[in-house]
Amino acid sequence: MKYIAILGSTGSIGTQTLEVVRAQQDIKVTALSAGDNIDLLEQQIREFRPALAAVKTEEKAKELALRISDLNIPVLSGMDGLMAVACEKKAEVLVTAIVGMLGIRPTIAAIEAGKDIALANKETLVTAGHIIMPLAKKCGVRILPVDSEHSAIFQSLNGEKEHGNKIDKILLTASGGPFRGMSREELSQVRLEDALKHPNWVMGRKITIDSATLVNKGLEVMEARWLFGVEMDQVQVVVQPQSVIHSMVEYEDGAVIAQLGTPDMKLPIQYALYYPERRFLAGDRLDFAKLAQITFEAPDFENFHGLSLAYKAGRRGGTLPTVFNAANERAVQKFLDREIGYLTITDMIEAAMEHHTVKENPTVEEILAAEQETYDFIESRW
């Protein structure tokens, strides 16, 4: 029996993780956390019977505790709740499926408690990779990527590093999103409903917008830089519209190893939970005869400015990736609330980056201070 805890169990990755648990039946869920969706969390608690649960606010915690009073399962709230879930004593693996920099402190705590991390919370590495990766090495824990692209890279590296084979570059694939090929003038007319229609993947609202702007791909570039110990310019984004090749690694001899599959997040989730074992996973399989072709193109850095801003933030480092991420979070929320237009998202990110004075090798406290400074700047301007 494998024991896991999940941060963000009611979101897209969290619910798909629980689908894997249902299918495999040899995983015990020891702790769950969610934001405000206590209806779904209650259903999950009753099905999986964790040792504890956590929600965002004390008010919601009291309401949920009353609902499940027959189960004698404690319900905590806030950061204390997240930390308790992250460090639940029986859990061997923490699935970090919450969105945002809220995941930094619980991830650090879990690593220090000796838990392997199934990482879907990319902001943790984007903003604090210089802290997380050395700490994981020191504590002897594994960071197992859950994002489909990073899992593909992880799989393409399998066994190569142990033999001393050097990476020349990582080829990080992108579908190009729903607006691939559009001009800036056309992008200025984009509506919220258009941006929420991803051509290949079913995801949460925030990450769907990030995929449309290619900001998500920029965050993935910064995440890959830390996960795989390469420089920013060794991570090359390649648009592959069919979402069949999930990413590739090119070695110094010119050989390219790729991981292919249907666009199903349960595959990287299951691979992270059972690594290095592969298990049967129900679902569609690639039919190359029907697929007929796989096409590639370069990303449009000019019209999808978020990607070029991400490279700028990643190359500069320090607190600038935090500003990039925080500005995007606030901008996307404003777009979802119909307060700003689509192109204003990257305008806000660029303005926040230009306003910020970078701190080198920031502590967690300095990272969180840069986040708040960015939020304050955005609110003062928009």
Side-chain angles (χ1 to χ4, degrees):
M1 187 67 69
K2 184 181 288 287
Y3 296 87
I4 70 168
I6 305 173
L7 293 175
S9 65
T10 59
S12 176
I13 297 297
T15 54
Q16 289 181 86
T17 300
L18 292 174
E19 287 181 37
V20 171
V21 173
R22 286 189 195 98
Q24 294 298 332
Q25 298 187 341
D26 63 351
I27 299 176
K28 169 63 178 172
V29 179
T30 68
L32 295 170
S33 86
D36 297 320
N37 190 352
I38 62 173
D39 292 336
L40 180 53
L41 183 57
E42 180 186 356
Q43 294 174 30
Q44 293 174 346
I45 290 169
R46 291 191 178 279
E47 179 178 359
F48 296 100
R49 302 297 173 97
L52 64 94
V55 293
K56 186 176 180 180
T57 66
E58 186 176 352
E59 180 184 1
K60 290 288 187 181
K62 289 178 180 178
E63 182 181 348
L64 181 59
L66 188 62
R67 291 191 191 186
I68 62 167
S69 57
D70 57 309
L71 299 180
N72 195 31
I73 293 173
V75 182
L76 308 175
S77 64
M79 182 54 68
D80 289 343
L82 293 179
M83 298 290 271
V85 169
C87 297
E88 199 285 321
K89 59 184 179 181
K90 280 192 175 181
E92 304 161 90
V93 179
L94 175 68
V95 180
T96 60
I98 54 176
V99 176
M101 293 166 59
L102 197 62
I104 296 175
R105 290 189 187 279
T107 302
I108 290 173
I111 291 171
E112 290 176 337
K115 318 289 187 187
D116 287 336
I117 307 297
L119 184 73
N121 174 237
K122 61 175 60 68
E123 294 88 352
T124 293
L125 285 191
V126 167
T127 63
H130 63 290
I131 297 172
I132 298 293
M133 296 309 291
L135 181 63
K137 184 176 181 180
K138 176 184 175 183
C139 295
V141 307
R142 300 181 297 186
I143 307 292
L144 302 163
V146 167
D147 273 351
S148 62
E149 293 84 357
H150 297 95
S151 177
I153 296 162
F154 185 64
Q155 293 175 62
S156 298
L157 286 168
N158 210 344
E160 296 288 344
K161 276 194 170 182
E162 289 81 352
H163 295 297
N165 295 324
K166 293 181 181 178
I167 299 171
D168 186 55
K169 62 184 171 183
I170 286 169
L171 299 159
L172 192 70
T173 58
S175 71
F179 309 131
R180 180 173 62 89
M182 282 191 178
S183 67
R184 191 165 178 83
E185 183 178 348
E186 290 171 317
L187 291 171
S188 69
Q189 305 302 313
V190 164
R191 301 171 303 157
L192 174 60
E193 292 78 11
D194 303 322
L196 288 172
K197 295 176 183 175
H198 195 280
N200 300 331
W201 295 93
V202 177
M203 304 174 289
R205 284 162 61 87
K206 195 264 182 184
I207 192 171
T208 302
I209 301 301
D210 286 349
S211 296
T213 61
L214 294 193
V215 163
N216 187 59
K217 201 54 53 179
L219 292 169
E220 289 178 359
V221 170
M222 287 189 270
E223 184 182 8
R225 175 256 183 275
W226 290 110
L227 269 174
F228 306 113
V230 296
E231 298 300 323
M232 283 290 295
D233 291 324
Q234 285 180 278
V235 185
Q236 177 184 337
V237 175
V238 178
V239 176
Q240 196 276 290
Q242 295 83 13
S243 293
V244 169
I245 298 178
H246 298 304
S247 277
M248 302 169 274
V249 177
E250 181 177 313
Y251 294 91
E252 62 179 348
D253 63 355
V256 177
I257 297 178
Q259 187 264 326
L260 288 72
T262 56
D264 184 350
M265 279 304 302
K266 291 191 289 295
L267 192 156
I269 291 168
Q270 182 170 291
Y271 189 70
L273 293 179
Y274 285 102
Y275 176 79
E277 180 186 357
R278 289 188 184 272
R279 291 197 173 189
F280 173 77
L281 180 67
D284 295 335
R285 299 295 192 260
L286 283 181
D287 184 331
F288 286 94
K290 289 182 180 178
L291 180 63
Q293 64 178 350
I294 303 174
T295 60
F296 303 92
E297 59 193 66
D300 182 350
F301 283 95
E302 184 176 347
N303 290 317
F304 293 86
H305 192 38
L307 185 56
S308 58
L309 289 172
Y311 271 96
K312 180 179 179 180
R315 290 183 186 115
R316 180 63 183 84
T319 47
L320 200 56
T322 296
V323 174
F324 175 90
N325 179 72
N328 177 64
E329 282 189 3
R330 194 51 52 93
V332 169
Q333 189 56 57
K334 286 181 176 292
F335 179 64
L336 289 170
D337 293 339
R338 302 180 189 273
E339 295 177 14
I340 62 171
Y342 174 80
L343 287 178
T344 307
I345 295 172
T346 48
D347 291 343
M348 291 172 77
I349 297 171
E350 185 168 29
M353 287 172 61
E354 289 176 352
H355 176 263
H356 181 66
T357 301
V358 177
K359 282 188 170 61
E360 308 292 346
N361 299 311
T363 63
V364 172
E365 290 72 22
E366 288 172 330
I367 290 168
L368 298 177
E371 177 190 35
Q372 187 58 53
E373 173 201 306
T374 304
Y375 291 159
D376 293 342
F377 171 76
I378 294 294
E379 292 306 318
S380 70
R381 289 281 298 271
W382 281 275

